[in-house]
Amino acid sequence: MKITSFEQYEQAYKQSVEQPEQFWADVADNFTWKKKWDNVLQWNFKDPDVKWFSGAKLNITENCLDRHLEKNADTPAIIWEPNDPTEDFRILTYKQLHDKVCQFANVLKNNGAKKGDRICIYMPMVPELAIAVLACARIGAIHSVVFGGFSAQSIADRIKDADCNIVITSDGAYRGNKDIQMKNVIDDALVQCPSVKRTIVLTRSRTAVSMIKGRDVWWEDEIKKVETQGNPECPAEEMDAEDMLFILYTSGSTGKPKGVVHTCGGYMVYAGYTFANVFQYNPGEVYFCTADIGWITGHSYIVYGPLSQGATTLMFEGVPTYPDAGRLWDIVAKHNVNILYTAPTAIRSLMGFGLDYVKDKDLSTLKKLGSVGEPINEEAWHWLDDHIGHNKCPIVDTWWQTETGGIMITPIAGVTPTKPGYATLPLPGIQPVLVDENGKEIEGNGVNGNLCIKFPWPGILRTTYGDHERCRTTYFATYDNLYFTGDGCLRDDDGYYRITGRVDDVLNVSGHRIGTAEVENAINMHSSVVESAVVGYPHDIKGQGVYAYVVIPDMHDSPDLTRKDIIMTVSRIIGPIAKPDKIQFVSGLPKTRSGKIMRRILRKIAEGDTSNLGDTSTLLDPAVVEEIKQGALK
Ligand code: PRX
């Protein structure tokens, strides 16, 4: 399954296009199946209907845990580094992790969980989060992990959409110098969620929480019950390859976030295959991904990908700037990290603190570096290369999405020649095409277009939970027979791919996907707001910042106070991650005669480029543009 030279890459790529079923069957043979498949692939992108390995039976946790026990029971599976560097770190070997997953799977069963149930997980980055995720998979329950930065309202929306019956959370969480009240947030969410019959609460910060009789139980008490029952094993539920494994919500250009659905067989194969290849993982190496398990990167490249390959994965509870901006490098030195997978926004933020935080750190164990989540600017790429990798570590700039399940376009570490800012070449099995607005394929090199994929891969999303039509219209209806990514892309003269950013109304703020419509809806909830329009603008650290144009005809307080109120409203409706960076009050928005907001103009003004706003003659009220230009925020 592992490609170790560029010649092998080229051969594998060719085979994957000419004989895709054979190619993927060979990859899938590296995993443990309770029963092999009847068909490798059945598909059409019209409905869409994609099935990988149908007829096969498996449980992903047998691949992530049980199969490593014979030879690698004592290999560290998870190294956990706490938020506070003076607190003890933890190591869980494969045997220990297996036992804890079985134990918690039995807790879930004792609390009424069954195969097919949807379970919401809202937890800090502690090993118990990975244990909870795997325990769901063990019994065939579908997990829906919600990132800790989302509000009660966002959690409630997700719980209701998936009709979850159990929530797993913790009393509180530590992140940097913040103490976050997680259970309180869940309590607020659950006011709206009668479907939830049980909340299991882990003790982390032992902050005071309300515990409702009949609904809320402590994780630790439930573990004790399982121990006294004397039944440490939990057999892995037999799952069909196409049974749902998890739902993960992500933002699009319209409406509320949608629940991207991944299934057991294909997702497992794709997460494992990409992890082994992209990072060229070798046994004994320590791999550290700085993402949160609340995002797809954490699902695929902290939990499922590394564990399916028997790797040692490091989980970090805190943030890169606590207690100071040298924290990531301290972790690398403390745990002898060999592979570091992080995000451009983290790199740019650490660059800003200067080299003092890097210069005395022992980074000699590092062998490979990775980047994900947004385009990496050349300056950040070179900083990583020079000061962290000391020009000896290949950097893999990995392009992919929640919907793709795993990495799609990327260098293979040490195999693919890299170029700063370029995700380089598609992995074997991935067939990217660039198309123009009419869906016509743009062939050849030195071209720009909208990035689509023309053939399925095992990690492709199967549906959006509860709304298959939305999946079809969002991804498969823009262009016939193509999966549309929403990204713009350049293919240079060497055939290398460079992702240029979203071409739809989706923002990428610090690597987090945020829909402009979602933020607008939240701003419009503020009692004085009549209307708003949100666009992105270039931000030195976040990549993109959130710029909001807001119409308030009758402002009761000072503009400053009103801005704070709007920010608070957005925090409460979506979560702190969606807070606008800039709010400009305007008397009206530039609209066409049919009432459509001209976002192109607003984007240009937010970017500070007011010289050429293009044709404004079709606007209902061209004067408003002048006013907005004059009041633009720097
Ligand atoms: O615009 C692309 C950007 O992030 C989007 C996907 O976001 P999400 O589903 O949250 O997943 C993020 C982690 C995989 C993409 O549509 N993106 C992701 N990786 C890159 C990137 N843009 C440029 N270069 C990348 N390496």
Side-chain angles (χ1 to χ4, degrees), residues 274-281 287-288 301 338-344 347 367-376 381 384-385 393-400 407 409-425 427:
T274 50
F275 174 77
N277 276 295
V278 174
F279 300 105
Q280 293 286 298
Y281 184 82
Y287 161 87
F288 174 21
Y301 300 112
N338 305 113
I339 308 173
L340 177 71
Y341 190 30
T342 189
I347 298 163
K367 293 188 206 155
K368 293 158 256 186
L369 299 169
S371 167
V372 61
E374 51 179 313
I376 178 165
W381 196 98
L384 189 65
D385 190 31
C393 301
I395 298 178
V396 292
D397 174 3
T398 63
W399 172 83
W400 59 296
I407 298 169
I409 302 182
T410 180
I412 295 176
V415 168
T416 314
T418 57
K419 219 187 252 193
Y422 282 77
T424 73
L425 297 170
L427 284 173

Side-chain angles (χ1 to χ4, degrees), residues 248-251 260 295-298 301 341 344 371-376 396-407 409-410 421-423 451 483 485-488 498-504 506-508 511-514:
L248 187 59
Y249 285 83
T250 191
S251 296
V260 167
W295 305 108
I296 191 69
T297 307
Y301 300 112
Y341 190 30
S371 167
V372 61
E374 51 179 313
I376 178 165
V396 292
D397 174 3
T398 63
W399 172 83
W400 59 296
Q401 311 177 294
T402 305
E403 294 86 344
T404 68
I407 298 169
I409 302 182
T410 180
Y422 282 77
L451 178 62
Y483 165 82
T485 64
D487 280 316
R498 178 188 186 119
I499 312 302
T500 49
R502 302 287 306 193
V503 295
D504 53 12
V506 172
L507 306 182
N508 192 326
H512 299 153
R513 244 164 96 168
I514 297 173

Side-chain angles (χ1 to χ4, degrees), residues 55 497 539 591:
Y497 290 84
H539 187 288
K591 288 187 184 169

Side-chain angles (χ1 to χ4, degrees), residues 10-293:
E10 285 178 314
Q11 273 168 15
Y13 192 83
K14 190 160 176 282
Q15 195 219 347
S16 78
V17 175
E18 288 169 359
Q19 301 168 294
E21 296 200 15
Q22 187 59 50
F23 175 82
W24 286 113
D26 291 346
V27 173
D29 273 335
N30 291 282
F31 293 81
T32 300
W33 303 85
K34 289 177 190 276
K35 175 183 170 284
K36 287 271 174 90
W37 46 91
D38 302 321
N39 293 298
V40 176
L41 171 65
Q42 294 152 302
W43 71 287
N44 76 69
F45 275 174
K46 198 168 153 291
D47 295 337
D49 184 13
V50 181
K51 291 191 181 72
W52 280 95
F53 311 115
S54 60
K57 306 277 185 195
L58 76 151
N59 186 292
I60 195 169
T61 69
E62 287 191 327
N63 283 270
C64 290
L65 301 168
D66 305 60
R67 71 165 171 163
H68 307 308
L69 295 185
E70 199 185 320
K71 292 202 184 113
N72 291 311
D74 299 326
T75 299
I78 294 179
I79 300 176
W80 175 72
E81 172 68 17
N83 180 59
D84 177 350
T86 64
E87 187 182 337
D88 287 342
F89 64 91
R90 287 166 65 185
I91 294 181
L92 292 176
T93 64
Y94 271 94
K95 171 83 175 78
Q96 290 165 331
L97 182 61
H98 169 271
D99 293 354
K100 284 190 180 294
V101 168
C102 285
Q103 208 178 32
F104 193 67
N106 284 330
V107 165
L108 290 175
K109 283 186 181 168
N110 278 347
N111 283 279
K114 305 178 305 299
K115 179 175 180 172
D117 284 355
R118 275 80 55 217
I119 297 183
C120 173
I121 304 179
Y122 184 70
M123 288 176 79
M125 279 286 287
V126 290
E128 284 73 14
L129 167 52
I131 291 166
V133 162
L134 292 163
C136 288
R138 187 81 175 175
I139 64 167
I142 299 158
H143 55 79
S144 166
V145 184
V146 179
F147 174 63
F150 282 114
S151 67
Q153 184 60 49
S154 292
I155 301 166
D157 289 342
R158 286 158 172 74
I159 289 176
K160 284 188 282 187
D161 187 72
D163 199 20
C164 297
N165 58 351
I166 296 179
V167 173
I168 308 170
T169 187
S170 75
D171 50 357
Y174 302 119
R175 258 178 88 75
N177 54 17
K178 291 202 198 94
D179 226 335
I180 299 158
Q181 308 288 305
M182 295 200 103
K183 174 63 163 58
N184 263 350
V185 179
I186 288 293
D187 287 336
D188 287 345
L190 293 190
V191 172
Q192 301 181 38
C193 304
S195 64
V196 173
K197 303 293 181 235
R198 182 70 79 237
T199 317
I200 304 175
V201 187
L202 177 80
T203 307
R204 174 60 187 125
S205 58
R206 201 51 192 102
T207 180
V209 292
S210 82
M211 292 293 284
I212 306 293
K213 193 181 289 166
R215 191 193 68 185
D216 302 344
V217 295
W218 288 105
W219 175 298
E220 295 77 10
D221 291 348
E222 296 304 296
I223 294 283
K224 278 201 202 103
K225 280 188 207 158
V226 169
E227 278 169 356
T228 49
Q229 283 164 353
N231 181 18
E233 271 300 312
C234 175
E237 189 74 36
E238 186 171 283
M239 306 298 286
D240 284 338
E242 283 298 332
D243 280 341
M244 285 187 202
L245 175 64
F246 66 83
I247 307 171
L248 187 59
Y249 285 83
T250 191
S251 296
S253 21
T254 55
K256 290 200 168 169
K258 41 192 177 294
V260 167
V261 170
H262 285 289
T263 58
C264 296
Y267 174 81
M268 168 182 79
V269 169
Y270 200 64
Y273 159 80
T274 50
F275 174 77
N277 276 295
V278 174
F279 300 105
Q280 293 286 298
Y281 184 82
N282 296 310
E285 287 182 332
V286 175
Y287 161 87
F288 174 21
C289 168
T290 65
D292 190 291
I293 294 177

Side-chain angles (χ1 to χ4, degrees), residues 541-617:
I541 290 173
K542 298 179 174 187
Q544 269 188 311
V546 179
Y547 194 120
Y549 298 91
V550 178
V551 182
I552 298 187
D554 187 13
M555 201 173 306
H556 304 292
D557 292 294
S558 72
D560 269 355
L561 197 54
T562 310
R563 273 195 190 94
K564 285 186 187 146
D565 287 349
I566 290 174
I567 289 171
M568 192 58 98
T569 311
V570 174
S571 270
R572 192 155 284 271
I573 304 295
I574 305 177
I577 57 170
K579 285 196 280 200
D581 297 279
K582 294 183 182 176
I583 298 175
Q584 181 181 350
F585 294 114
V586 296
S587 67
L589 297 170
K591 288 187 184 169
T592 61
R593 292 199 178 87
S594 59
K596 212 169 156 282
I597 297 172
M598 293 273 271
R599 289 172 181 281
R600 178 178 56 77
I601 293 176
L602 294 175
R603 242 179 255 128
K604 284 213 151 197
I605 296 175
E607 286 165 7
D609 174 14
T610 50
S611 55
N612 179 15
L613 292 180
D615 182 13
T616 54
S617 62

